[in-house]
Amino acid sequence: MTHLLHLDSSPRDDRSISRTLSKEFIANWKAAHPSDTVTYRDLGHHPVPLIDEPWIAAAYSAPDQHTPEQAAAIRPSNELVDEFLAADRYVFSVPMYNFSIPAGFKAYLDQIVRVGRTFSVEADGSYKGLVTGKKLLIITARGGSYPKDTPYYPYDMQEPYLRLIFGFIGITDVEVIHADNLMGGDDARQQAIATAQSALKVVVSR
């Protein structure tokens, strides 16, 4: 039995393409893998707290040294990290905002990328990811298209960053499926959605 963590990060509701695609994927996955379990978190409608000074003090000190304020500040992060580590696979839907990711999803990453929990600093100063043996599927929705070897590729600070940050904590088995060029007109939009849907069905069948 596999346990999935499913996150949506768009603040939109039914109008969100990324939400729609991830919802369809999870429905198809459950139909194909009925014994698997899914935990769902809606970052777009229920954002996590931003980190602050008490959080930073708590993250870089031993729990038995925490003040009540620091313990309260780090508690949501501990819960999010526990939830994250409990999953075997991840399905994250992430729209592109200003060539990168929504602020709410960045806040989530800040809560789970934790020294001693999801990465460590080795004696020689190098970093070591502690989250191993996991698989990540990222579903994006993007107004434009940013293929490699084109002048538009440098604008894509979404996929490279997500691959980097998850690789940093040890997750290197990452598949990214884009619904892109959504602002290219009705035909291009429908084609992009259909292409993404087909690609997601292939993931389920594998």
Side-chain angles (χ1 to χ4, degrees):
M1 183 177 71
T2 299
H3 180 60
L4 283 73
L5 177 59
H6 171 204
L7 301 184
D8 284 326
S9 57
S10 173
R12 289 181 169 182
D13 201 350
D14 293 340
R15 295 177 60 240
S16 167
I17 299 300
S18 60
R19 278 181 183 274
T20 299
L21 291 172
S22 75
K23 182 178 179 180
E24 290 178 359
F25 175 84
I26 291 296
N28 291 333
W29 184 275
K30 286 181 176 179
H33 309 276
S35 63
D36 289 357
T37 58
V38 180
T39 295
Y40 177 66
R41 183 172 289 276
D42 188 340
L43 299 173
H45 294 159
H46 304 284
V48 302
L50 299 176
I51 64 171
D52 54 16
E53 187 170 1
W55 186 101
I56 295 170
Y60 290 91
S61 61
D64 60 2
Q65 298 176 347
H66 292 171
T67 66
E69 182 185 22
Q70 291 168 355
I74 203 68
R75 188 174 299 115
S77 177
N78 289 335
E79 294 171 355
L80 291 167
V81 171
D82 289 344
E83 178 182 80
F84 184 78
L85 295 177
D88 305 299
R89 298 181 68 119
Y90 307 101
V91 180
F92 294 168
S93 75
V94 187
M96 175 182 273
Y97 284 4
N98 294 323
F99 309 113
S100 186
I101 61 176
F105 194 73
K106 178 58 166 63
Y108 174 77
L109 293 175
D110 290 342
Q111 292 284 0
I112 67 166
V113 178
R114 286 264 308 275
V115 64
R117 296 296 311 273
T118 54
F119 76 94
S120 64
V121 182
E122 302 299 280
D124 62 359
S126 62
Y127 299 115
K128 179 181 178 182
L130 302 178
V131 189
T132 59
K134 314 280 190 175
K135 294 186 177 184
L136 168 62
L137 171 65
I138 299 172
I139 303 167
T140 80
R142 309 168 6 144
S145 182
Y146 311 93
K148 290 184 178 179
D149 302 320
T150 73
Y152 303 102
Y153 181 67
Y155 288 88
D156 182 3
M157 293 179 282
Q158 180 193 43
E159 180 178 346
Y161 172 70
L162 291 172
R163 287 188 180 277
L164 184 150
I165 194 65
F166 284 112
F168 175 75
I169 62 173
I171 303 175
T172 56
D173 190 343
V174 179
E175 184 164 5
V176 183
I177 293 178
H178 299 298
D180 58 7
N181 203 25
L182 295 174
M183 296 180 66
D186 290 342
D187 290 345
R189 180 186 180 88
Q190 294 306 315
Q191 180 59 52
I193 294 171
T195 299
Q197 288 171 325
S198 296
L200 290 169
K201 288 178 180 177
V202 171
V203 175
V204 172
S205 68
R206 290 204 304 265

